[in-house]
Amino acid sequence: LYWQDLAAPPRALTARAEGLRLVQFSDLHSGGPHFWLEALKEATQQGLALRPQAILLTGDHGDNSLDQSEFDARLMLDVQRWSKALAGYDGEIFLAPGNDDVGHNYQTHPGDLKAQLHAFQQAFGERCYLNELGNGLSPSRLGGMRWISLNSQIFSPLNKTPEAPQQAKETFEWLKDTLGDSQQPVVILCHIAPSWDLYMGNPGWKPAYIRQLTDLLSEY
């Protein structure tokens, strides 16, 4: 459970972002060998008690280390666990998929992405703003900002999916169009940061994709 008060935000942020309270949940690996349901319940209670304006669910809600043939059904239950826990929450919910939210770790096979999107749509209904690649622009303008989610495992060096280069191309084109020429501050959520991965001991994204993202954001 992470929470942060933006008491002294950067000058680029609007006045409405000052004092913005967010609660983030990541890497639950629900149903995995190290998952503890009671800890999740306690963390959720603590998070909601902070009365945040937004909940950030930033990936690895499921766990694909077990039987892959049953993964899609497990993920559906894992994500629905969130929708039930947050059923009475009326603030914003922002979503980003993780590498354990697909049947094959770090891969972005179209069939796996379709099953992933279906699970999110079934769990969150109209609150799910992700597209078929796992990217999305939230309709929220919380804090006077735009909230963008990226399916970051598309860019992972571990992603060997044949379609991955085309998926990356489409994602960057989508991101450029989504950013447009507006100067409104933007928050980009992704499970794997476009930087050095301390856990893996390698870049989290392929270096060429990190440069492409940097160039795109520099233009914005």
Side-chain angles (χ1 to χ4, degrees):
L1 168 67
Y2 304 93
W3 68 275
Q4 178 69 48
D5 283 314
L6 300 181
R11 278 180 289 175
L13 300 184
T14 66
R16 284 187 292 167
E18 295 184 15
L20 188 64
R21 177 166 291 189
L22 312 173
V23 169
Q24 178 185 7
F25 293 93
S26 186
D27 291 88
L28 300 177
H29 292 269
S30 180
H34 306 293
F35 175 69
W36 186 18
L37 181 58
E38 292 304 315
L40 172 60
K41 291 180 178 178
E42 181 179 350
T44 304
Q45 292 173 355
Q46 292 178 9
L48 293 176
L50 294 170
R51 303 181 68 180
Q53 289 95 328
I55 299 286
L56 282 63
L57 304 178
T58 50
D60 279 6
H61 312 292
D63 189 288
N64 56 23
S65 64
L66 303 177
D67 185 0
Q68 291 182 344
S69 67
E70 300 177 354
F71 175 79
D72 292 350
R74 292 202 313 271
L75 180 65
M76 182 74 72
L77 295 176
D78 295 336
V79 179
Q80 287 179 347
R81 182 175 286 143
W82 266 125
S83 65
K84 293 177 182 178
L86 301 177
Y89 175 68
D90 58 2
E92 303 290 352
I93 296 179
F94 300 119
L95 308 167
N99 53 281
D100 262 86
D101 296 327
V102 287
H104 301 83
N105 202 20
Y106 285 98
Q107 308 310 301
T108 51
H109 301 301
D112 285 352
L113 292 183
K114 183 176 181 180
Q116 178 191 87
L117 178 60
H118 180 65
F120 279 105
Q121 289 175 333
Q122 290 296 306
F124 293 103
E126 295 181 353
R127 280 183 153 179
C128 177
Y129 54 86
L130 303 178
N131 62 21
E132 65 279 359
L133 289 180
N135 306 311
L137 171 65
S138 171
S140 172
R141 293 296 183 270
L142 181 67
M145 299 180 287
R146 290 190 296 165
W147 298 77
I148 292 176
S149 297
L150 292 181
N151 185 355
S152 51
Q153 59 261 29
I154 289 175
F155 310 107
S156 171
L158 300 177
N159 188 359
K160 308 302 181 183
T161 307
E163 294 86 353
Q166 180 62 28
Q167 293 169 342
K169 181 176 183 293
E170 292 177 9
T171 297
F172 278 122
E173 291 174 348
W174 171 85
L175 180 58
K176 185 173 182 178
D177 291 341
T178 301
L179 289 172
D181 58 4
S182 170
Q183 294 305 301
Q184 188 177 21
V186 171
V187 177
I188 296 180
L189 305 175
C190 59
H191 180 71
I192 304 170
S195 60
W196 193 264
D197 187 329
L198 297 179
Y199 178 75
M200 301 295 292
N202 291 300
W205 290 26
K206 291 182 179 179
Y209 290 146
I210 295 178
R211 290 192 294 270
Q212 192 169 348
L213 177 67
T214 301
D215 292 343
L216 191 157
L217 297 181
S218 296
E219 292 178 5
Y220 178 74

